[in-house]
Structure formats: structure tokens, C-alpha cells
Amino acid sequence: MTDQLLKERPKEDKEFDIPQELIETSFEELPPGEVVKASNPCAVGMRRIITGIALSYITLSFLALDHILPAIGAAMLFLGFRNLRGENPWFRLGYICSALRLTLMIPQLILNATVYGGLIRDGQWKAVPIAAAGIQLLTLFAFWMAIDAVQKKAGIKERSFSAAALLLLYLLTLAAAFTGFAGTLSTLVMLLSFIMIIKSLVNLSDLMETSGYSIKASPVELSDGILKKIIAGVIAAGILCGYAFFSGYDMDWLPVDTAEHASGDIYLKLKDLGYPEAQLRDLSAQELELLKDADCVVVRVDERPLNNGVEKKEGNFIYTEYPVKELCFTHIAVRVAGDGKNGEAWRVIHHFRLRDEINSGGTANIMLWPAETSDGWDGAEDLSGRLLCRQKDEDLAADYYYIGKRSYVSADFFGNSQNVDDISCDFSMPHKASDRRGYVAYTSTQTENGYLLSSWINYTHQNSFIQYPVKTAGEFAREGMHIADYPFKTVQAAIQFFITDGKPDPESLDEFVNAY
Amino acid sequence: MKEQEIISCIKNKTEKAAELFLQRYRPLIRYIVVSFIHNEPDIEECINDIAWKIFDKIDSYDSEKGSWNAWITAIARNTALNRSRSNKYHESISVSFNSEEDTQIPSNEPTPEELLIEKERQAMLARAVRELPEQEKIIFYRKYYYCQSTIQIASELGLTARSVEGKLYRIRKRLKDMLGGGSDD
């Protein structure tokens, strides 16, 4: 035995030779419990598979754990099946499936650090989660068959159906998810399922303490530790790249001459009617054309804070003050048709401008509640807009990344859902630019005299790029009520005024809109 | 069947005790034995020897000293090791009977002082092994107690063979340092 051991040792170890007889005496009468438990060929592999399955089921929706834990679970499953892939064809199938799942999951994790992560979350790329669910199902099936084969090989007559129970529970979970089964009962069912899954996994672990000794582990070219570091490194590098290069929309900024139309007839007419020149210069040629029949202009200016303010206390009364307001709205309504009676058409243009000191990384969103959402008005036609900024002493302009109507399901604070159609504009401003501004405009027609023209704008700004998964300002805005709004801030402003006998009542501008 | 039930069956020498015991623990015993014995008929014989010893010594099992599995693996390992040494001894005896040389081996019985030093080194090494981190202790026991090959250890722990060799090298160096760097070589 000594000869055999000596043969296996490299030459350079001889200086650290401890005599075999001395080593023999270092062993206690019985080996330690943890050594015996760990000296099982499938101990490492099975522990990883069982941990991987458990983590795949956990959905804690805070600190991105609902993404991190399943990812760790997928990696553990892969490492576990890799360790046992040589034992039988079912473990090999499990290895292939777990490798495929990890391959699908890594890009998903990286994509979640970009504005494109929503393509999978919102179900636009439905094939991905369906494929992932199918692969997971096949993995659990392979695991069940593999355990059964191991039990047969070990000569264990009594069968354990814990692995089959796992498969069944996963099928039930999938069925609930795909049918949209929701409510208190489903939560209870899910909780019970999770408890039963843990119990099954514990039973499996006990089972492997006996029949696992017949398993043959497979050699590896890269140790588990190195592979874990490689996987973690790839994901971390991908996420960093995602944050650095894909946390905002790809906008097409082109040089523009804002003074180009300053001498035109429409421009001069609008200026005479009271359209502020700073905003007038921002309008595109097409926008000016839509205002060519203007005969009345109503203007309202609002400022809104994009910060969290300063908390103040007066006695027992605590309130928040906003000394700095980084966003300035100039709402303009222009009558473009009508003769003072029914059938008036007004074009509403919501201009906005950001103060230079505020950051504008990530994404932003504008959601409009146009005049048509109130009684007496119809349509939100000729929807248009553009964005402008100044970089290196040059004016630049770009179209919105998206501008149009979006249909979605919104939930209120009490969880009640409703179908909503809103006008939405998605965009990103350059990191290093000044005089960042833009506008969005539409035309609405009066259907009944004497009704309020009410047009609301909701502006969602991203204050920090640190979020995971990355949510766009538009996704945030469509979620409805929020308990916490980090990293976004949504502000609202509006232009509202009565029109009586074809005359706008500017006094009514301040009656309905609350100022900060 | 649960562990306690099997222990009770063995102690009570019930009819099905042997069948139940081997059904549950044959894979474990075989796993230990194959590291020492590679001949299939010998492996089966050894497994039966081990089962017989366990049945014979069942009253000496004390759960306070260690787990049931630890006790089984200890008996399995010692029986397989002795059998392996016995096989090699018989081979060497048959070689020496064929040799024409007649050598005289000088006596190398240790002195009382040497015995005392040896006992101290044994205690130090035993303590040093106990204090090894868990992962290193597992590798050490697998290599030197269960006599598993480096490749087997690497495969089962998800490591490469080179990585296991490196860890064993560091373990031996640490133990050597703990023994004060002295060597009997």
C-alpha cells in the first residue's frame, strides 16, 4: 500500500513526505461525520442539483433576487449535472438541458441591464420564456429518470417518487402561470407547492446517502470553482456593458438651424399672437405648417421639481419644500379652426425644458392625457413632436424613439386592473448636453360648446442609472400607482381653460391646475 | 427501512437482517472496498466478510463515538486494507521462497525514547488533521484513509486532478510544518 501511494506522488513532494505509518496513526477510531457524509461520489453533484432546483423556485421580488437566485440555481444545476453526466444517459440529458437553460439565462440577465430587457418581460419575445420553461420541464423529467436508474443499479427495491413529485409540482406551477390563475387561493397553492418541493428535495438527499454510492462521477477539464468565476465574470462584464452602452435609447441626433423659419409668415403670425419665441424656434417646418390657420394662442408656464425636495417641520406638521425646480413646461394651445361656435379645433403643444444642472441619463417618458379624454372634445390627431439640445455650440434635434398610442393593462393601488390607451413618447437625452428640451403636439376638435379644454402631460424622468432589472421610464409610467419611485420621478402639469362662445377664458387657467 | 430499524434487526438477529442490511449498505461498502481490492471475486468475498464482522461486532457500536455510517466505513476500510495487505504478503512470501538469496535482516526495534517521541508525533499529527479546514480534511481522508485515487477524488469533488494534487501538496506541507519540519526519512 505504501508503494502504491509513493508511486502516485510527484518527485518534488518527497521533501514533504510524512511516513505512511505516521499518517495511519493520525486517523481517529472513526472518521469524522462530515468526512463520511462528504465521501459519497454524488454528494457534490446531488447537493448542487437539489440546491439549484430549490433556488429556481424562489421568487423574492426585492433587491433583484427574483433574477439572481434563479440564475444561481441554473448555474448550480449545470454544475451538478456536469459532475454526474457520465453515470447514465438521463444525467447526460439533464446536463445538456441545464447547459441550454444557462445559455438562455445568461443573455437574459445581461439584457436586463439594458432598455431591451422589457422585450422578454413584456412578452414580446414569448419564445424565450416558453423555451426556458420547456427546458426546465425536460430537466426535471431527466432527473426523475436518472434517479430511478440509480436506484435500480443500487438494487434498491423500494422506489422513491420524490423526483416525480418535483416534476408534477413544476407542471402545476407552469399551468397556474400560463392560465393567469391569481388570487388568495393561488398564493396558498404556490406556498404549499413550495413546501412540498422542499420536502421532496430533502427526501431525495436522504435517498442518495445510500444509493448514491453506486454513482460514478465524471472528470472535468475545468474545476467547478473556475467555471463559477467564468460564468460570474461573463455576466458581470455583460451587465456593466449593458449599463454603459445600452441603458438609454439609440437616438439619431442631427444638427438643426432653429432660426431657419424665423422670417416665415406663419412664424411671424404666431409670434404676433403671443407664441413665446423661445418655444417657437423649436417647432419644425411641418409643425409650423399645421399652425398656419392659427388665430388665437393661449400660454401657460409651469415649473416642476425632479428632486425629492427638502423636508420641513412646522410644529407637528411635516411637509416637503421644493426650492429647486428642474423642469419647465410651457403649454400652448393654438386655435387652428372654427369660428367661435361649435367645431373649433385647437392644437395643443406641450413644450418642456430641463435645467442644465440635472442629469439626463437613461430614459424618459411623456404620457399625454389629451383633451379628448374629457367631455366636449374629440380626437388627438396629427400627433407629432421632437427633441432638441445643444452640444459643442451646435443645436441638435431628434425624433422621439417612440411616439404614439399604447394599449396596456394598468393596476391601481388596490390591485384593480383596467385596459388603458394612452399617448406615450419614449426618448433619451444625451448625457453631456445643455438646453435639453422638446415638445409634443396634437389637435383636438370641440364637439360641444362650453366645455373645458383640459390637456395633461405626465413627465417621467430617470434620476439614477442604478437599477436591476433596467426598467424604462415608459414601463414605469405604465405600471400605474407606485409605493416607491426610485430611480424615477413623475411630475404632472396641464393646460386647462374654458372656451365660451369661442373665447378662451384665461382666468380659468389657474382654477383647476395645482401648482407646486 | 430506517437506520435505527436496521440496527435493531441486526441486534435482534432477525431472519431478514442480513438481506435488509446488504440491500441498503452494499453500495456504500462496495464503494469503500474497490479502492483497496480490484479483483471482483475478492471484492464480493470482502463485502461478505465486512457484513459478517458488522453483525459480529454490533454490540460494540456506540452512537456517542460516531455515526452508523462512520462505523460501517471504518470496519469496511480496515477489513479491505488488511485483506489487501494480506494478499500482497502472500505474494511476497511466494517470491522469497523462490529466491536463492539468504539475507539476514538486522533488528530495528525502537528504543523507549524513540517510542515516546513517536507517540508525541502521532498525537501532534492527529491534532493537526483534526484542525484542518473541512474541505482539506475531506481530501486528506479520501486520499490516505479511504485510499482513493487522485482522479476519483477530483471527479467526485468537481475539481481537476492537478487541483487535487496541489491541495494535497499544501496539506502535507502544512502538516509537516505543524510537526516542526522534522522527518524520519
Side-chain angles (χ1 to χ4, degrees):
Chain A
M1 186 52 59
T2 309
D3 288 344
Q4 185 186 341
L5 285 170
L6 277 174
K7 271 180 199 165
E8 285 193 0
R9 284 188 247 174
K11 288 182 190 170
E12 60 272 18
D13 287 347
K14 291 231 173 110
E15 64 185 284
F16 299 121
D17 268 352
I18 299 170
Q20 178 62 18
E21 295 76 18
L22 189 57
I23 291 177
E24 286 280 324
T25 59
S26 70
F27 297 125
E28 299 180 349
E29 198 181 317
L30 294 183
E34 67 273 18
V35 169
V36 174
K37 214 172 168 78
S39 298
N40 181 322
C42 73
V44 168
M46 280 303 297
R47 187 175 67 240
R48 292 210 166 116
I49 291 173
I50 286 169
T51 308
I53 291 171
L55 288 176
S56 297
Y57 276 104
I58 294 176
T59 51
L60 299 170
S61 302
F62 61 91
L63 297 176
L65 288 175
D66 53 339
H67 295 275
I68 294 171
L69 293 180
I72 296 173
M76 299 286 261
L77 272 171
F78 170 69
L79 292 172
F81 276 111
R82 186 177 83 128
N83 192 240
L84 305 173
R85 70 189 185 281
E87 169 55 30
N88 60 53
W90 295 110
F91 272 122
R92 205 168 309 126
L93 178 61
Y95 169 61
I96 293 167
C97 288
S98 59
L100 272 173
R101 184 156 172 264
L102 192 62
T103 310
L104 272 179
M105 195 167 257
I106 290 175
Q108 214 170 317
L109 289 169
I110 294 171
L111 213 59
N112 277 340
T114 73
V115 293
Y116 307 108
L119 290 169
I120 297 174
R121 285 197 304 274
D122 290 346
Q124 289 176 63
W125 288 356
K126 283 184 183 154
V128 175
I130 291 172
I135 289 169
Q136 182 72 340
L137 213 55
L138 192 56
T139 308
L140 289 173
F141 176 73
F143 183 53
W144 171 30
M145 304 289 6
I147 296 294
D148 200 57
V150 165
Q151 286 184 273
K152 276 185 192 154
K153 181 180 170 187
I156 307 274
K157 286 181 185 164
E158 55 180 73
R159 284 286 180 277
S160 163
F161 294 101
S162 299
L166 275 173
L167 180 61
L168 186 62
L169 288 164
Y170 186 69
L171 271 168
L172 284 172
T173 314
L174 270 183
F178 277 109
T179 55
F181 183 54
T184 313
L185 185 62
S186 79
T187 310
L188 270 171
V189 166
M190 295 299 291
L191 192 61
L192 268 168
S193 301
F194 186 65
I195 293 168
M196 284 161 69
I197 284 163
I198 298 297
K199 197 168 177 305
S200 296
L201 292 174
V202 169
N203 287 345
L204 265 172
S205 183
D206 291 342
L207 180 77
M208 286 296 113
E209 278 191 25
T210 49
S211 57
Y213 286 100
S214 61
I215 287 179
K216 193 170 161 49
S218 301
V220 294
E221 296 297 323
L222 275 176
S223 67
D224 288 354
I226 302 239
L227 206 50
K228 278 186 229 174
K229 282 176 188 151
I230 291 172
I231 293 169
V234 165
I235 293 171
I239 286 175
L240 282 171
C241 283
Y243 279 134
F245 304 113
F246 300 101
S247 59
Y249 295 118
D250 186 20
M251 306 287 288
D252 190 18
W253 293 96
L254 295 169
V256 68
D257 179 6
T258 54
E260 191 182 6
H261 309 289
S263 54
D265 293 336
I266 304 170
Y267 185 99
L268 292 168
K269 182 167 86 168
L270 286 167
K271 190 178 164 186
D272 286 340
L273 286 170
Y275 205 117
E277 191 161 9
Q279 281 71 38
L280 192 52
R281 289 165 73 93
D282 288 344
L283 298 179
S284 65
Q286 294 82 1
E287 190 60 49
L288 284 169
E289 188 60 31
L290 288 169
L291 296 171
K292 66 178 187 233
D293 298 323
D295 70 354
C296 181
V297 171
V298 178
V299 180
R300 179 186 168 85
V301 179
D302 275 324
E303 286 189 323
R304 292 287 182 268
L306 295 175
N307 58 82
N308 292 325
V310 175
E311 210 172 79
K312 298 248 174 181
K313 196 174 175 183
E314 272 180 20
N316 290 332
F317 182 60
I318 298 170
Y319 64 97
T320 306
E321 214 173 69
Y322 298 92
V324 179
K325 292 174 186 175
E326 300 97 333
L327 182 61
C328 179
F329 288 111
T330 306
H331 313 282
I332 300 170
V334 180
R335 185 165 61 196
V336 293
D339 56 2
K341 294 174 184 163
N342 289 338
E344 286 202 351
W346 284 75
R347 188 149 181 86
V348 179
I349 308 113
H350 291 281
H351 290 266
F352 67 89
R353 183 178 245 100
L354 290 164
R355 281 171 71 143
D356 286 350
E357 50 267 32
I358 191 164
N359 289 328
S360 58
T363 61
N365 171 267
I366 285 170
M367 200 176 274
L368 285 184
W369 294 340
E372 65 164 354
T373 55
S374 308
D375 291 334
W377 294 88
D378 192 31
E381 307 300 324
D382 297 321
L383 181 66
S384 70
R386 74 174 180 174
L387 303 151
L388 301 105
C389 68
R390 198 157 174 80
Q391 259 186 342
K392 294 176 187 170
D393 297 324
E394 192 179 30
D395 281 315
L396 302 172
D399 292 330
Y400 283 96
Y401 181 79
Y402 175 87
I403 179 168
K405 268 203 174 164
R406 264 214 174 94
S407 300
Y408 59 97
V409 177
S410 178
D412 65 19
F413 183 80
F414 301 101
N416 300 316
S417 301
Q418 54 179 340
N419 293 321
V420 182
D421 283 324
D422 274 339
I423 293 174
S424 189
C425 311
D426 297 321
F427 61 99
S428 291
M429 285 291 193
H431 287 290
K432 290 177 183 171
S434 61
D435 204 12
R436 292 156 295 169
R437 61 205 191 275
Y439 68 87
V440 60
Y442 66 91
T443 304
S444 202
T445 307
Q446 190 184 35
T447 55
E448 279 187 63
N449 198 9
Y451 277 91
L452 187 75
L453 186 151
S454 172
S455 182
W456 287 84
I457 178 169
N458 300 286
Y459 186 102
T460 301
H461 178 81
Q462 186 170 343
N463 280 319
S464 170
F465 77 94
I466 300 173
Q467 54 163 338
Y468 190 89
V470 164
K471 202 182 288 186
T472 63
E475 285 169 346
F476 176 81
R478 286 189 289 279
E479 279 173 3
M481 290 291 294
H482 299 96
I483 304 291
D485 52 12
Y486 176 85
F488 298 101
K489 179 83 176 175
T490 299
V491 294
Q492 255 183 355
I495 181 168
Q496 292 180 315
F497 55 92
F498 277 107
I499 302 168
T500 311
D501 295 329
K503 288 180 188 167
D505 179 5
E507 296 298 318
S508 61
L509 273 176
D510 293 325
E511 282 183 30
F512 301 99
V513 180
N514 296 319
Y516 275 86
Chain B
M1 201 177 216
K2 290 192 179 162
E3 181 181 293
Q4 280 307 317
E5 290 168 6
I6 290 178
I7 295 171
S8 297
C9 284
I10 297 172
K11 282 186 174 174
N12 296 332
K13 296 188 185 353
T14 58
E15 223 176 279
K16 287 201 169 177
E19 186 190 331
L20 290 168
F21 174 78
L22 282 172
Q23 197 179 78
R24 189 177 163 97
Y25 294 104
R26 176 183 281 275
L28 165 59
I29 296 169
R30 189 186 169 85
Y31 174 73
I32 302 294
V33 167
V34 294
S35 296
F36 299 91
I37 300 167
H38 310 294
N39 182 281
E40 195 57 40
D42 279 348
I43 290 170
E44 285 305 314
E45 240 182 72
C46 188
I47 290 172
N48 291 333
D49 279 348
I50 291 163
W52 185 86
K53 275 192 182 160
I54 286 168
F55 275 59
D56 192 45
K57 294 184 178 185
I58 190 67
D59 292 326
S60 68
Y61 167 60
D62 182 359
S63 59
E64 303 275 318
K65 286 186 182 172
S67 67
W68 171 245
N69 274 19
W71 193 69
I72 291 174
T73 63
I75 292 177
R77 180 257 182 188
N78 293 336
T79 308
L81 179 61
N82 290 339
R83 195 181 181 93
S84 167
R85 281 177 177 163
S86 169
N87 287 349
K88 283 190 168 44
Y89 174 73
H90 287 308
E91 281 169 18
S92 68
I93 289 289
S94 68
V95 167
S96 73
F97 275 141
N98 293 330
S99 170
E100 290 179 359
E101 288 181 22
D102 181 16
T103 51
Q104 280 201 326
I105 304 160
S107 167
N108 58 356
E109 286 288 322
T111 64
E113 194 183 31
E114 283 171 347
L115 270 172
L116 189 62
I117 293 170
E118 191 62 19
K119 273 197 175 353
E120 277 177 15
R121 283 164 59 79
Q122 286 169 8
M124 279 168 68
L125 187 57
R127 193 166 51 246
V129 171
R130 266 200 308 275
E131 287 168 9
L132 283 174
E134 189 175 316
Q135 170 82 335
E136 290 185 2
K137 201 187 302 182
I138 288 165
I139 292 176
F140 186 82
Y141 265 84
R142 276 174 173 261
K143 184 70 181 175
Y144 296 112
Y145 184 81
Y146 293 118
C147 295
Q148 292 175 353
S149 69
T150 307
I151 290 172
Q152 181 183 351
I153 297 170
S155 299
E156 292 179 8
L157 295 182
L159 301 167
T160 58
R162 193 177 173 78
S163 177
V164 170
E165 279 171 12
K167 286 179 191 291
L168 284 168
Y169 171 87
R170 283 189 289 277
I171 292 168
R172 284 197 299 274
K173 184 174 183 304
R174 187 196 299 208
L175 292 174
K176 195 79 174 171
D177 291 342
M178 285 177 175
L179 287 175
S183 168
D184 284 341
D185 292 325

